[in-house]
Coordinates of all heavy atoms in Angstrom, one line a residue:
T85 N 12.4 -34.3 101.8 CA 11.9 -34.6 103.1 C 12.7 -33.9 104.1 O 13.9 -33.6 103.9 CB 11.9 -36.1 103.4 OG1 13.2 -36.5 103.6 CG2 11.2 -36.9 102.3
V86 N 12.1 -33.6 105.3 CA 12.9 -32.8 106.3 C 14.1 -33.6 106.7 O 15.2 -33.0 106.9 CB 11.9 -32.6 107.6 CG1 12.8 -32.0 108.7 CG2 10.8 -31.7 107.1
F87 N 14.0 -34.9 106.9 CA 15.2 -35.7 107.4 C 16.3 -35.6 106.4 O 17.5 -35.4 106.7 CB 14.7 -37.1 107.6 CG 15.9 -38.0 107.9 CD1 16.4 -38.1 109.2 CD2 16.5 -38.8 107.0 CE1 17.5 -38.9 109.6 CE2 17.6 -39.6 107.3 CZ 18.0 -39.7 108.6
I88 N 16.0 -35.8 105.1 CA 17.0 -35.8 104.0 C 17.7 -34.5 103.9 O 18.9 -34.3 103.8 CB 16.5 -36.3 102.7 CG1 16.1 -37.8 102.8 CG2 17.4 -36.1 101.5 CD1 15.5 -38.3 101.5
Q89 N 16.8 -33.4 103.9 CA 17.3 -32.1 103.7 C 18.3 -31.6 104.9 O 19.3 -31.1 104.7 CB 16.2 -31.1 103.6 CG 15.5 -31.2 102.3 CD 14.4 -30.1 102.1 OE1 13.4 -30.1 102.8 NE2 14.7 -29.2 101.1
Y90 N 17.9 -31.9 106.1 CA 18.8 -31.6 107.2 C 20.0 -32.5 107.4 O 21.0 -32.1 107.9 CB 17.9 -31.5 108.5 CG 17.1 -30.2 108.5 CD1 15.8 -30.1 108.1 CD2 17.7 -29.0 109.0 CE1 15.1 -28.9 108.1 CE2 17.0 -27.8 109.0 CZ 15.7 -27.8 108.6 OH 15.0 -26.6 108.5
A91 N 19.9 -33.7 106.9 CA 21.0 -34.6 106.8 C 22.1 -33.9 105.8 O 23.3 -33.9 106.1 CB 20.7 -35.9 106.3
G92 N 21.5 -33.3 104.7 CA 22.4 -32.6 103.7 C 23.0 -31.4 104.4 O 24.2 -31.2 104.2
V93 N 22.3 -30.7 105.2 CA 22.9 -29.5 105.9 C 24.0 -30.0 106.8 O 25.1 -29.3 106.9 CB 21.7 -28.8 106.7 CG1 22.4 -27.8 107.7 CG2 20.8 -28.1 105.8
I94 N 23.8 -31.0 107.5 CA 24.9 -31.5 108.5 C 26.1 -31.9 107.7 O 27.2 -31.6 108.1 CB 24.3 -32.7 109.3 CG1 23.2 -32.2 110.3 CG2 25.4 -33.4 110.1 CD1 22.5 -33.3 111.0
L95 N 25.9 -32.6 106.6 CA 27.0 -33.0 105.7 C 27.8 -31.7 105.2 O 29.0 -31.7 105.2 CB 26.6 -33.8 104.6 CG 26.3 -35.3 104.8 CD1 25.7 -35.9 103.6 CD2 27.5 -36.0 105.3
M96 N 27.1 -30.7 104.9 CA 27.7 -29.5 104.4 C 28.5 -28.9 105.4 O 29.6 -28.4 105.2 CB 26.6 -28.6 103.8 CG 26.0 -29.1 102.5 SD 24.6 -28.0 102.0 CE 25.4 -26.6 101.4
I97 N 28.0 -28.7 106.6 CA 28.7 -28.1 107.7 C 30.0 -28.9 108.1 O 31.1 -28.4 108.2 CB 27.8 -28.0 109.0 CG1 26.7 -27.0 108.7 CG2 28.6 -27.5 110.2 CD1 25.6 -27.0 109.9
F98 N 29.8 -30.2 108.2 CA 31.0 -31.1 108.4 C 32.0 -30.9 107.4 O 33.2 -30.9 107.7 CB 30.5 -32.5 108.5 CG 31.6 -33.6 108.6 CD1 32.3 -33.8 109.8 CD2 32.1 -34.2 107.5 CE1 33.3 -34.7 109.9 CE2 33.1 -35.1 107.6 CZ 33.7 -35.4 108.8
A99 N 31.6 -30.9 106.1 CA 32.5 -30.8 105.0 C 33.3 -29.5 105.0 O 34.5 -29.5 104.7 CB 31.8 -31.0 103.7
F100 N 32.6 -28.4 105.3 CA 33.3 -27.1 105.3 C 34.4 -27.1 106.4 O 35.5 -26.6 106.2 CB 32.2 -26.0 105.7 CG 32.8 -24.7 105.8 CD1 33.3 -24.0 104.7 CD2 32.8 -24.0 107.0 CE1 33.8 -22.7 104.8 CE2 33.4 -22.8 107.1 CZ 33.9 -22.1 106.0
I101 N 34.0 -27.6 107.6 CA 35.1 -27.6 108.7 C 36.2 -28.5 108.3 O 37.4 -28.2 108.5 CB 34.4 -28.1 110.0 CG1 33.3 -27.1 110.5 CG2 35.4 -28.4 111.1 CD1 32.5 -27.6 111.6
W102 N 35.9 -29.7 107.7 CA 37.0 -30.6 107.3 C 37.9 -30.0 106.2 O 39.1 -30.1 106.4 CB 36.2 -31.8 106.7 CG 37.1 -32.9 106.1 CD1 37.7 -32.8 104.8 CD2 37.6 -34.1 106.7 NE1 38.4 -33.9 104.6 CE2 38.4 -34.7 105.7 CE3 37.4 -34.7 107.9 CZ2 39.0 -36.0 105.9 CZ3 38.0 -35.9 108.1 CH2 38.8 -36.5 107.2
V103 N 37.3 -29.3 105.2 CA 38.1 -28.7 104.2 C 39.1 -27.6 104.7 O 40.3 -27.6 104.4 CB 37.2 -28.1 103.1 CG1 38.0 -27.2 102.1 CG2 36.6 -29.2 102.3
V104 N 38.5 -26.8 105.6 CA 39.3 -25.7 106.1 C 40.5 -26.3 107.0 O 41.7 -25.8 106.9 CB 38.5 -24.7 107.0 CG1 39.4 -23.7 107.8 CG2 37.5 -24.0 106.1
I105 N 40.2 -27.3 107.8 CA 41.3 -27.9 108.6 C 42.3 -28.5 107.7 O 43.5 -28.4 107.9 CB 40.7 -28.9 109.6 CG1 39.8 -28.2 110.6 CG2 41.8 -29.7 110.3 CD1 39.1 -29.2 111.6
A106 N 41.9 -29.3 106.7 CA 42.8 -29.9 105.8 C 43.7 -28.9 105.0 O 44.9 -29.1 104.9 CB 42.0 -30.7 104.8
Q107 N 43.1 -27.8 104.7 CA 43.9 -26.7 104.0 C 45.0 -26.2 105.0 O 46.1 -25.9 104.6 CB 43.0 -25.6 103.5 CG 42.2 -26.0 102.3 CD 41.1 -24.9 101.9 OE1 40.5 -24.3 102.8 NE2 41.0 -24.7 100.6
F108 N 44.6 -25.9 106.2 CA 45.6 -25.4 107.2 C 46.7 -26.4 107.4 O 47.8 -26.1 107.6 CB 44.9 -25.1 108.5 CG 44.3 -23.7 108.5 CD1 43.0 -23.5 108.5 CD2 45.2 -22.6 108.6 CE1 42.4 -22.2 108.5 CE2 44.7 -21.3 108.6 CZ 43.3 -21.1 108.6
Q109 N 46.3 -27.7 107.4 CA 47.3 -28.8 107.6 C 48.3 -28.9 106.4 O 49.4 -29.3 106.6 CB 46.6 -30.1 107.8 CG 45.9 -30.2 109.1 CD 45.1 -31.5 109.3 OE1 44.8 -32.2 108.3 NE2 44.7 -31.8 110.5
M110 N 47.9 -28.4 105.2 CA 48.8 -28.4 104.1 C 49.8 -27.3 104.2 O 50.9 -27.3 103.6 CB 48.0 -28.2 102.8 CG 47.2 -29.4 102.4 SD 46.4 -29.3 100.7 CE 47.9 -29.5 99.7
K111 N 49.5 -26.2 105.0 CA 50.4 -25.1 105.2 C 50.8 -24.5 103.9 O 50.0 -24.2 103.0 CB 51.6 -25.6 106.1 CG 51.1 -26.1 107.5 CD 52.3 -26.5 108.3 CE 51.9 -27.1 109.6 NZ 53.0 -27.6 110.4
D112 N 52.1 -24.4 103.7 CA 52.7 -23.7 102.5 C 52.6 -24.6 101.2 O 52.8 -24.1 100.1 CB 54.2 -23.4 102.7 CG 54.3 -22.4 103.8 OD1 53.3 -21.8 104.3 OD2 55.5 -22.1 104.2
S113 N 52.2 -25.9 101.4 CA 52.1 -26.8 100.3 C 50.7 -26.7 99.5 O 50.6 -27.2 98.4 CB 52.3 -28.2 100.7 OG 53.6 -28.4 101.2
W114 N 49.8 -25.9 100.1 CA 48.5 -25.8 99.4 C 48.6 -25.0 98.2 O 49.2 -23.9 98.1 CB 47.5 -25.1 100.4 CG 46.1 -25.1 99.8 CD1 45.2 -26.1 99.8 CD2 45.5 -24.0 99.2 NE1 44.1 -25.8 99.2 CE2 44.2 -24.5 98.8 CE3 45.8 -22.7 98.9 CZ2 43.3 -23.7 98.1 CZ3 44.9 -21.9 98.2 CH2 43.6 -22.4 97.8
R115 N 48.0 -25.5 97.1 CA 47.9 -24.9 95.8 C 46.6 -25.2 95.1 O 45.9 -26.1 95.4 CB 49.0 -25.5 94.9 CG 50.4 -25.2 95.3 CD 50.9 -23.8 95.2 NE 52.3 -23.6 95.4 CZ 52.9 -23.6 96.6 NH1 52.1 -23.7 97.7 NH2 54.2 -23.4 96.7
I116 N 46.2 -24.2 94.3 CA 45.1 -24.5 93.3 C 45.7 -24.9 92.0 O 46.1 -24.0 91.2 CB 44.2 -23.3 93.2 CG1 43.6 -22.8 94.5 CG2 43.0 -23.5 92.2 CD1 42.8 -21.6 94.4
G117 N 45.9 -26.2 91.8 CA 46.6 -26.6 90.6 C 47.9 -27.3 91.0 O 48.2 -27.5 92.1
I118 N 48.7 -27.5 89.9 CA 50.0 -28.2 90.1 C 51.1 -27.2 89.9 O 51.2 -26.5 88.9 CB 50.1 -29.3 89.1 CG1 49.0 -30.4 89.3 CG2 51.5 -30.0 89.2 CD1 49.0 -31.5 88.2
D119 N 51.9 -27.1 90.9 CA 53.1 -26.1 90.9 C 54.3 -26.8 90.5 O 54.9 -27.6 91.2 CB 53.2 -25.5 92.3 CG 54.1 -24.3 92.3 OD1 54.8 -24.1 91.3 OD2 54.2 -23.6 93.3
D120 N 54.7 -26.6 89.2 CA 55.9 -27.2 88.7 C 57.2 -26.4 89.0 O 58.3 -26.9 88.8 CB 55.8 -27.3 87.1 CG 54.7 -28.2 86.7 OD1 54.6 -29.3 87.3 OD2 54.0 -27.9 85.7
Q121 N 57.0 -25.3 89.6 CA 58.2 -24.4 89.9 C 58.7 -24.6 91.3 O 59.9 -24.2 91.5 CB 57.8 -22.9 89.7 CG 57.1 -22.6 88.4 CD 58.0 -22.9 87.3 OE1 59.2 -22.6 87.3 NE2 57.4 -23.5 86.2
V122 N 58.0 -25.2 92.2 CA 58.4 -25.4 93.6 C 58.2 -26.8 94.0 O 57.2 -27.4 93.7 CB 57.6 -24.5 94.5 CG1 58.0 -24.7 96.0 CG2 57.8 -23.0 94.1
N123 N 59.2 -27.4 94.7 CA 59.0 -28.7 95.3 C 58.3 -28.6 96.6 O 59.0 -28.3 97.6 CB 60.4 -29.4 95.4 CG 61.1 -29.7 94.2 OD1 60.4 -30.1 93.2 ND2 62.4 -29.7 94.1
T124 N 57.0 -28.8 96.6 CA 56.2 -28.6 97.8 C 56.4 -29.8 98.7 O 56.7 -31.0 98.2 CB 54.7 -28.5 97.5 OG1 54.3 -29.6 96.6 CG2 54.5 -27.2 96.8
K125 N 56.3 -29.6 100.0 CA 56.4 -30.7 101.0 C 55.2 -31.7 100.9 O 54.1 -31.3 100.7 CB 56.5 -30.1 102.4 CG 56.7 -31.2 103.4 CD 56.7 -30.5 104.9 CE 56.8 -31.6 105.9 NZ 56.9 -31.0 107.3
L126 N 55.5 -33.0 100.9 CA 54.5 -34.0 100.9 C 53.9 -34.1 102.3 O 54.6 -34.4 103.3 CB 55.0 -35.3 100.5 CG 54.0 -36.5 100.5 CD1 53.0 -36.2 99.4 CD2 54.8 -37.9 100.2
I127 N 52.6 -33.8 102.5 CA 51.9 -33.8 103.7 C 51.3 -35.2 104.0 O 50.5 -35.7 103.1 CB 50.8 -32.7 103.8 CG1 51.4 -31.3 103.4 CG2 50.2 -32.7 105.2 CD1 52.5 -30.9 104.3
T128 N 51.7 -35.8 105.1 CA 51.1 -37.1 105.3 C 50.5 -37.2 106.8 O 50.2 -38.3 107.2 CB 52.2 -38.3 105.2 OG1 53.3 -37.9 106.1 CG2 52.7 -38.3 103.7
T129 N 50.5 -36.1 107.4 CA 49.9 -36.1 108.8 C 48.5 -35.5 108.9 O 48.0 -35.1 107.8 CB 50.9 -35.3 109.7 OG1 51.0 -33.9 109.2 CG2 52.2 -35.9 109.8
G130 N 47.9 -35.5 110.1 CA 46.6 -34.9 110.2 C 45.6 -35.8 109.4 O 45.6 -37.0 109.4
F131 N 44.7 -35.1 108.6 CA 43.7 -35.7 107.8 C 44.3 -36.5 106.7 O 43.6 -37.4 106.2 CB 42.7 -34.7 107.2 CG 41.8 -34.1 108.2 CD1 41.0 -33.0 107.9 CD2 41.6 -34.6 109.5 CE1 40.1 -32.4 108.8 CE2 40.8 -34.1 110.4 CZ 40.0 -32.9 110.1
F132 N 45.5 -36.2 106.4 CA 46.2 -36.9 105.3 C 46.6 -38.3 105.7 O 47.1 -39.1 104.9 CB 47.4 -36.1 104.8 CG 47.0 -34.8 104.1 CD1 46.7 -33.7 104.8 CD2 46.9 -34.8 102.8 CE1 46.3 -32.5 104.2 CE2 46.5 -33.6 102.1 CZ 46.2 -32.5 102.8
R133 N 46.5 -38.7 107.0 CA 46.7 -40.1 107.4 C 45.5 -41.0 106.9 O 45.7 -42.2 106.9 CB 46.8 -40.1 108.9 CG 48.0 -39.5 109.5 CD 48.0 -39.5 111.0 NE 46.8 -38.8 111.5 CZ 46.3 -38.9 112.8 NH1 46.9 -39.8 113.6 NH2 45.3 -38.2 113.1
F134 N 44.4 -40.3 106.6 CA 43.2 -41.1 106.3 C 42.8 -40.9 104.8 O 42.0 -41.7 104.3 CB 42.0 -40.6 107.2 CG 42.3 -40.6 108.6 CD1 42.5 -39.4 109.3 CD2 42.5 -41.8 109.4 CE1 42.8 -39.4 110.7 CE2 42.8 -41.8 110.7 CZ 43.0 -40.5 111.4

Side-chain angles (χ1 to χ4, degrees):
T85 68
V86 173
F87 175 79
I88 291 177
Q89 287 186 293
Y90 282 93
V93 167
I94 292 172
L95 282 177
M96 291 173 72
I97 294 172
F98 172 79
F100 177 70
I101 296 171
W102 174 278
V103 167
V104 172
I105 293 175
Q107 288 176 317
F108 274 109
Q109 289 176 343
M110 290 188 73
K111 300 179 181 178
D112 297 351
S113 295
W114 186 80
R115 297 291 189 277
I116 300 176
I118 297 172
D119 194 345
D120 291 321
Q121 305 302 316
V122 178
N123 289 330
T124 55
K125 181 181 178 181
L126 179 64
I127 308 299
T128 60
T129 58
F131 288 168
F132 291 83
R133 293 177 298 165
F134 312 105

